[in-house]
Structures are given as structure tokens and as C-alpha cells.
Amino acid sequence: MCQQCDVKDKLPDNAASKRDFLKTMSGAGLGLAGLSMSRAFAADEKPLPKPENVLTPDAALERLLAGNQRYVSGNSQPFDFMQDRAALVGGQNPYAAIVSCADARVVPELCFDEKRGDLFVARVAGNYISPDILASLEYGALVLKTPLIMVLGHQSCGAVIAAISAVEKHQQYPGHIQTVTTAIAPAVRAARKEQGDKTDNVIRQNVKLNVERLEHAAPIIGKLVAEKKLRIVGGVYNLATGRVDMLA
């Protein structure tokens, strides 16, 4: 007999009892599911592949910015693929997650002078938080215990420039490109009254709005932020200098 038929045959006769019975079965099912997820997400007993990546949110940000300073000054560390290869076969524990634009000129691992296994990078044109990007960041924060997320914008962002044209000139784009400009449109509207370069203003607003969204993202990211286990920050990458400027 199938499990569903078996449950049906055990239902009490009266309606109220049936409802109570179903609630009990549902609760039991959720409990089992929760237990299964806990086991699936539980950290392995084996040593972490990169113990030095276990940091507080503030220490993670300090390390990230120190790496950018090395990159800007031309003192990046030599890359050694062999050094971490064996350790990373069995897992990962990155110390920071980066939401970066897909722009080929912006490479987080390079601009923060980090190696394989150090950064958990999610990239999309316009560095905005889509459901898929959010799910990836939730995995990084909940499962990999990453203590820091940076939303990283950059100068001369083509996605932002397209979004400005879409909002102000009603420009239409082919395929699914319009979904990108629609996602960035709130930043275009938020920057309308700001003085200075329009594109730069929208780039900064786009970062700020997505940082704010992450800080309140239910059910995982916002909770970890409230518990001070996770910090969300924003920055803008300067194409000319390589410097990442933090946004307040």
C-alpha cells in the first residue's frame, strides 16, 4: 500500500479529528525535513580546508580591503595553484561573498588579491540581487558560514547606462536584457535629484539599494545580520586605479 493511502486509511471519522490528525502529520513531516536539512548543512567534522578563513565580519572586511590595497599598489601575491589544490578538493570555506557585475574588466579574485577558495562570487550584469543571486548568498552565509557580503559596483557600468536610457528615454532592449534595466530602474529614480555625474550617482545608488535589500532579506540573510554573524557592505571599483571605494 502507498504511504498516502496508508495515511488516508488511518484518518479519524469526524472532521475536527481529521484536521487535528493532518496537522500532527504535517508537523511531523516538517520536523523530519528540518532534521534532514540540519544534517545536510552540518559542518563536517574534518578540518576546514582553509582555517585562516574563519573570521569575524569586521576582520573579513579588513582583509578584503588590505588585498585591494596590494592590488592597487602592484604588490599582489604570486598565485600558486598547487598550494591549495589538495585541501580544496574536499570542500570550501570562503571568508567573503562578492556580488559583482559580469563586466569582464572587474575580477573580484584579482582586485582583492585572493586565491581559490577565499571568495564566494555571484556575478550578474548590474550587480543587483535577483532571486537566484539571493539563493546563492543564502547558501554562502548559512552553509559555508561566510561572514561578509560585499555588493560591488564599478565605474562606467554598461548595465547602469542602459537602465538610465530605459527609464529616461523609454529605450527597449531585445531578449531578456530589459530585465536587467528594470532591476536597476529604482536606482535611476533614486538618483534623479543628486548633483554630479548621473551615471556615477546611479552606480552608487544601485549598490546602496541592494545592500539595503540584503540587510532585510528574509528568512536567512536578514536574521544573520541582526545576530551580527554577517555584515553587508557596498563598494565601487575604479576601472582606472583598481581601487575599491567603500560606500557609507
Side-chain angles (χ1 to χ4, degrees), residues 183-204:
I184 303 173
V188 178
R189 291 189 285 269
R192 273 178 174 163
K193 296 182 179 180
E194 293 185 9
Q195 301 295 317
D197 185 87
K198 181 182 298 184
T199 300
D200 288 343
N201 292 342
V202 177
I203 288 168
R204 287 191 295 269

Side-chain angles (χ1 to χ4, degrees), residues 144-221:
L144 303 179
K145 309 298 183 187
T146 304
L148 178 73
I149 298 174
M150 173 181 279
V151 179
L152 182 63
H154 69 93
Q155 284 184 327
S156 304
C157 181
V160 165
I161 294 170
I164 293 172
S165 293
V167 172
E168 297 186 348
K169 301 176 182 178
H170 306 291
Q171 176 72 46
Q172 295 291 316
Y173 297 95
H176 294 83
I177 299 174
Q178 198 74 24
T179 62
V180 174
T181 63
T182 299
I184 303 173
V188 178
R189 291 189 285 269
R192 273 178 174 163
K193 296 182 179 180
E194 293 185 9
Q195 301 295 317
D197 185 87
K198 181 182 298 184
T199 300
D200 288 343
N201 292 342
V202 177
I203 288 168
R204 287 191 295 269
Q205 281 293 342
N206 186 46
V207 170
K208 290 179 180 179
L209 290 176
N210 282 284
V211 166
E212 183 178 353
R213 180 181 178 188
L214 281 176
E215 287 177 335
H216 300 93
I220 294 172
I221 301 292

Side-chain angles (χ1 to χ4, degrees), residues 53 55-65 94-99 112 118-120 137 140-141 144-151 214 221 225 229-234 246:
N53 284 0
L55 298 168
T56 65
D58 290 345
L61 179 59
E62 184 178 346
R63 174 175 164 181
L64 200 65
L65 296 180
Y95 78 89
I98 311 292
V99 182
F112 292 114
D118 293 330
L119 301 180
F120 190 72
L137 296 175
L144 303 179
K145 309 298 183 187
T146 304
L148 178 73
I149 298 174
M150 173 181 279
V151 179
L214 281 176
I221 301 292
V225 170
K229 295 178 181 178
L230 177 65
R231 184 174 175 184
I232 317 293
V233 297
M246 297 295 296

